[in-house]
Amino acid sequence: MCGIVGILGHKAVAGDLVDALRRLEYRGYDSAGVATVENGHLERRRAEGKLKNLEARLHNEPLQGRAGIGHTRWATHGRPTENNAHPHMNERVSVVHNGIIENFGELKKALIAKGHRFETDTDTEVVVHLIADEMQKGCDAIEATRRTLASLRGAFALAIIFAGEDDLMIAARQGSPLAIGHGKGEMYLGSDAIALAPFTDEITYLEEGDWAVLRRKGAIIFDRSGKQVERVRTKSVATSLLVDKGNHRHFMAKEIHEQPEVISHTLANYLDLAEARVSMPDLGIDPAGIRQVSISACGTAYYAGLVGKYWLERYARIPVEIDIASEFRYREPPLPANGLALFISQSGETADTLATLRYCKSQKQRVASVVNVRTSTIARESDAVLPTLAGPEIGVASTKAFTCQLSVLACLTLALGRARGTISSAQEEELVHALAEVPRHIATLLRNEPSYEKLAHDLAKAKDVLYLGRGSSYPLALEGALKLKEISYIHAEGYAAGELKHGPIALIDENVPVIVVAPEDDLFEKTLSNMQEVAARGGRIILVSDASPDRAGCELEAHVAMPKVHPFTSPLLYAVPVQLLAYHTAVFMGTDVDQPRNLAKSVTVE
Ligand code: F6R
């Protein structure tokens, strides 16, 4: 989603602002802009599309200011045109914004009635007019901003600079993250520490409702009530973790190939491999007394949760309620006493997941989160954090974060199963060994990558693709379809194999590839029957399985051979072929694999 940066520097900052924005590109955007204070007045440059367009604009018309803000915009209100790109400004004030100002309609109406003229379709522009209006009444920049912030509703982050103020920037956080970077006589602001990594590793995260006055000598932070507060300064690890593509063509490819290593790290955090035992941090709730686990997440993280449901119910015998966060939050389900609420999020900032977490807290649930960004809001608001150690995920399509989420959920299942007496020590040992073998099997699978290219060339010709799976492979079918549609733009749907005949089978003809995710487990024969139904209607079947193709009993267009593994760990392994199929199809089609159209990495609006 939108990225915000700001710098109070010693020399012209426009170049550094663009560099910082480049580090936020992974979040997804469709236009960009910067503004600086130049000889006392505000100047800006904006461009539609990628940052190179903004750079070209700056090359032709450079900005010289030493105080500036920058923005990558992911359109919510108004099309992704240059006119709607941030910063928004008038002669007094310039603003960049991430999130949504929910009451912008009523504020805009009131401002128009007062004679303000709006130039854009954005919600952000009201902030410019509100601050200017307060300044017109005689308030200074800080007081005008304070009053304006009090009138805004919604979830947002803001960075603001002012004409005539070369040593002032105001930052505000209400729902969308913001990090202040401390330099030597310079100050920085960014949507995350990754953006600021080239400049400083001394970071202060603003908390919910905080706003801050930045000057070159430091920052003064106020909480929601206006009281001055101290927030801790942390050493960011973003600098050392900053990634490039290595020898890979895309971040997505690199992240797919990192899976053996990051899954190993994640598992090592929760397993005592020497003793073949799971060792989970204390969740602060007696596992034997847990009445229900309520899982909530979005997109790929939700599919990880869905696998978790199959595991927790089967191995730990705990009832699991799971829902997409955007539904859960408004459904307001009744939740039992002694309930564990589990949230899964790579970014830890997803607005709907966060809102659901807060709802579950209000319902007195014990709150645990599986997150990749430990400093994120979801992590900070959880009673217990179960980190995934995937490292920064830059490709918009989630890959290694998904398999690391599965790794944590598998360990949690074992820990709860053992504590509840639903798995024996011998079973625990067997399952821990099975998990420990996953990285090696994935490394072997990845060596077979070239075989996916040919399959992908065929898939690229399809208009629609179906994915089928049963049991814990059903979420993999959903994930496979999501991966394919988001990066190749081919329409794809995942179905529970048994559900096919209740409707989707009408879609089957000789033009529709059907990818069947079917490990040879206790449900395999059921899935085989559904596959026959597809074959009987001329569907083109690609079977992803450890079973021999002879067992299919029908003609296969292709067979993706998988290693024999314990059925418990198969979701971790079967994630890889669906990722590779999607990746190579998108590469063949020439789409923007790492930053697919319309998508954002960190979804901080609902
Ligand atoms: C798909 C994808 C998204 C995210 C979803 C949740 O490849 O990446 O569906 O999984 O937006 O994001 P997080 O995990 O950051 O909460």
Side-chain angles (χ1 to χ4, degrees), residues 241-306:
L241 288 177
L242 259 188
V243 281
D244 59 23
K245 291 180 206 149
N247 293 329
H248 296 274
R249 219 169 130 188
H250 300 100
F251 280 110
M252 185 177 174
K254 178 168 182 270
E255 288 157 6
I256 289 173
H257 280 265
E258 280 173 350
Q259 290 179 108
E261 191 184 350
V262 294
I263 292 172
S264 285
H265 287 164
T266 303
L267 289 174
N269 203 36
Y270 300 100
L271 298 179
D272 178 344
L273 290 170
E275 297 290 326
R277 291 280 171 270
V278 64
S279 79
M280 269 278 152
D282 184 11
L283 297 177
I285 183 169
D286 172 16
I290 296 177
R291 287 195 38 212
Q292 176 177 299
V293 175
S294 308
I295 305 181
S296 181
C298 302
T300 290
Y302 167 74
Y303 297 146
L306 208 48

Side-chain angles (χ1 to χ4, degrees), residues 297-303 344-350 353 378 393 395-399 401 405 479 482-483 486 599-603:
C298 302
T300 290
Y302 167 74
Y303 297 146
I344 307 167
S345 175
Q346 188 284 127
S347 62
E349 301 295 349
T350 301
T353 310
I378 288 177
E393 190 178 65
V396 162
S398 188
T399 52
Q405 287 159 355
E479 170 62 1
L482 177 64
K483 273 313 70 108
E486 69 182 329
L599 289 177
K601 184 71 182 161
S602 182
V603 184

Side-chain angles (χ1 to χ4, degrees), residues 4-81:
I4 288 180
V5 296
I7 303 179
L8 295 173
H10 288 311
K11 54 179 177 40
V13 292
D16 283 347
L17 286 170
V18 174
D19 280 351
L21 288 176
R22 184 159 291 112
R23 288 161 184 272
L24 294 175
E25 272 193 304
Y26 73 94
R27 297 160 70 97
Y29 69 106
D30 32 47
S31 59
V34 294
T36 64
V37 184
E38 210 143 314
N39 301 322
H41 66 272
L42 294 163
E43 282 282 344
R44 74 177 161 190
R45 306 285 180 262
R46 300 177 295 169
E48 250 179 76
K50 296 290 176 192
L51 280 174
K52 64 175 180 351
N53 302 345
L54 177 64
E55 277 183 306
R57 186 63 57 87
L58 282 163
H59 181 76
N60 295 333
E61 302 166 76
L63 289 179
Q64 305 299 348
R66 301 178 312 142
I69 50 180
H71 190 261
T72 45
R73 173 172 188 252
W74 187 81
T76 57
H77 294 63
R79 292 175 58 76
T81 57

Side-chain angles (χ1 to χ4, degrees), residues 13-232:
V13 292
D16 283 347
L17 286 170
V18 174
D19 280 351
L21 288 176
R22 184 159 291 112
R23 288 161 184 272
L24 294 175
E25 272 193 304
Y26 73 94
R27 297 160 70 97
Y29 69 106
D30 32 47
S31 59
V34 294
T36 64
V37 184
E38 210 143 314
N39 301 322
H41 66 272
L42 294 163
E43 282 282 344
R44 74 177 161 190
R45 306 285 180 262
R46 300 177 295 169
E48 250 179 76
K50 296 290 176 192
L51 280 174
K52 64 175 180 351
N53 302 345
L54 177 64
E55 277 183 306
R57 186 63 57 87
L58 282 163
H59 181 76
N60 295 333
E61 302 166 76
L63 289 179
Q64 305 299 348
R66 301 178 312 142
I69 50 180
H71 190 261
T72 45
R73 173 172 188 252
W74 187 81
T76 57
H77 294 63
R79 292 175 58 76
T81 57
E82 177 175 338
N83 189 53
N84 285 333
H86 299 215
H88 293 295
M89 58 187 247
N90 59 19
E91 66 287 352
R92 283 178 185 267
V93 54
S94 180
V95 174
V96 291
H97 161 222
N98 171 16
I100 292 178
I101 292 162
E102 286 172 3
N103 57 338
F104 89 99
E106 61 199 71
L107 293 170
K108 187 169 174 176
K109 226 160 122 193
L111 286 159
I112 290 172
K114 279 183 169 178
H116 288 260
R117 287 188 41 218
F118 280 74
E119 291 173 355
T120 74
D121 309 319
T122 66
D123 51 340
T124 312
E125 198 183 343
V126 294
V127 181
V128 174
H129 290 276
L130 286 169
I131 294 175
D133 199 61
E134 295 294 348
M135 292 177 88
Q136 186 69 33
K137 290 183 204 154
C139 292
D140 65 13
I142 298 173
E143 177 59 14
T145 306
R146 190 192 66 75
R147 291 186 184 193
T148 297
L149 291 174
S151 66
L152 303 178
R153 265 201 333 265
F156 53 80
L158 294 164
I160 309 163
I161 52 173
F162 303 86
E165 299 274 8
D166 174 61
D167 189 23
L168 175 66
M169 184 186 313
I170 299 185
R173 179 207 162 132
Q174 185 169 308
S176 298
L178 263 189
I180 294 175
H182 305 263
K184 291 199 171 63
E186 298 184 311
M187 290 297 284
Y188 303 92
L189 190 68
S191 293
D192 62 32
I194 293 181
L196 307 184
F199 314 114
T200 179
D201 59 358
E202 297 270 326
I203 299 292
T204 302
Y205 289 97
L206 291 184
E207 295 192 2
E208 274 303 295
D210 283 356
W211 61 286
V213 176
L214 277 68
R215 302 198 188 269
R216 285 186 181 80
K217 64 176 190 309
I220 301 174
I221 304 176
F222 303 91
D223 69 8
R224 198 189 298 278
S225 70
K227 194 163 92 190
Q228 193 174 325
V229 285
E230 290 298 319
R231 301 289 181 219
V232 281

